[in-house]
Amino acid sequence: MASLHQVIQQTRSVLESSGIPDARLEAEVMVMSLMRMQRQDIYANQEAHVASQQEQDLAGMVERRLKREPLAYILGYREFYGINLLVTPGVLIPRPETETLVETVLECLKDVQRPLICDVGCGAGIVGLTLALERPDARVVLLDTFQEPLDLT
């Protein structure tokens, strides 16, 4: 059985050798997801053993990533604005610019009492739902014509 440290380093090495950007971060995120651990836990438990089934599951994740499948689709979620959001191949993965959009809208609405927000073409509703969480006084309406993303909201 390999240690947590060894598994992370091996995963990082494989991802780096295949040209995956942010290989260290992606290796850690895969292992954190697989082991159901927070980042501080993987650092605090470097010598913990990883079960062979978990190593096999990780190998499957790495194989998918080497085929350039986005990490968010492999994990089934993407962290956005402090929230883990479900994502599937039928849903766009939120980008850092989307967080900037949310921040900009919040700034524009800072002096508006009980705003009405309409997120047209909302997809899985990431922008609208985040705004609703950040501004509980707002009335937020989400609209889209595609059913798959709406099923995740």
Side-chain angles (χ1 to χ4, degrees):
M1 258 191 265
S3 73
L4 196 53
H5 176 75
Q6 291 169 323
V7 168
I8 292 170
Q9 292 308 314
Q10 290 168 353
T11 303
R12 176 184 179 176
S13 178
V14 169
L15 295 174
E16 280 178 346
S17 67
S18 296
I20 300 292
D22 300 321
R24 180 188 63 80
L25 176 62
E26 289 204 13
E28 290 177 359
V29 169
M30 285 183 194
V31 171
M32 287 169 24
S33 175
L34 185 68
M35 302 290 290
R36 294 181 171 32
M37 299 175 99
Q38 298 294 318
R39 175 163 276 119
Q40 66 269 19
D41 297 327
I42 65 170
Y43 287 120
N45 297 292
Q46 291 281 299
E47 298 309 313
H49 293 288
V50 178
S52 59
Q53 182 60 53
Q54 290 171 315
E55 285 189 70
Q56 290 175 13
D57 293 345
L58 180 60
M61 294 169 77
V62 170
E63 184 177 317
R64 291 172 64 187
R65 188 63 186 108
L66 295 178
K67 292 177 182 173
R68 300 305 195 253
E69 183 175 349
L71 182 59
Y73 292 155
I74 296 167
L75 299 176
Y77 70 90
R78 169 67 179 240
E79 189 276 332
F80 179 81
Y81 225 76
I83 304 165
N84 283 338
L85 299 168
L86 298 176
V87 293
T88 63
V91 174
L92 294 175
I93 299 168
R95 301 171 47 87
E97 295 85 357
T98 310
E99 286 199 12
T100 302
L101 172 65
V102 168
E103 291 167 357
T104 301
V105 171
L106 290 171
E107 179 63 26
C108 289
L109 295 176
K110 71 180 179 185
D111 296 325
V112 178
Q113 299 287 325
R114 298 175 39 205
L116 172 60
I117 301 167
C118 186
D119 184 358
V120 179
C122 67
I126 292 165
V127 172
L129 293 173
T130 303
L131 291 169
L133 288 170
E134 293 296 314
R135 286 292 304 264
D137 65 319
R139 182 170 166 220
V140 182
V141 177
L142 307 173
L143 302 170
D144 206 307
T145 59
F146 294 103
Q147 188 61 42
E148 186 175 356
L150 291 173
D151 289 341
L152 293 177
T153 57

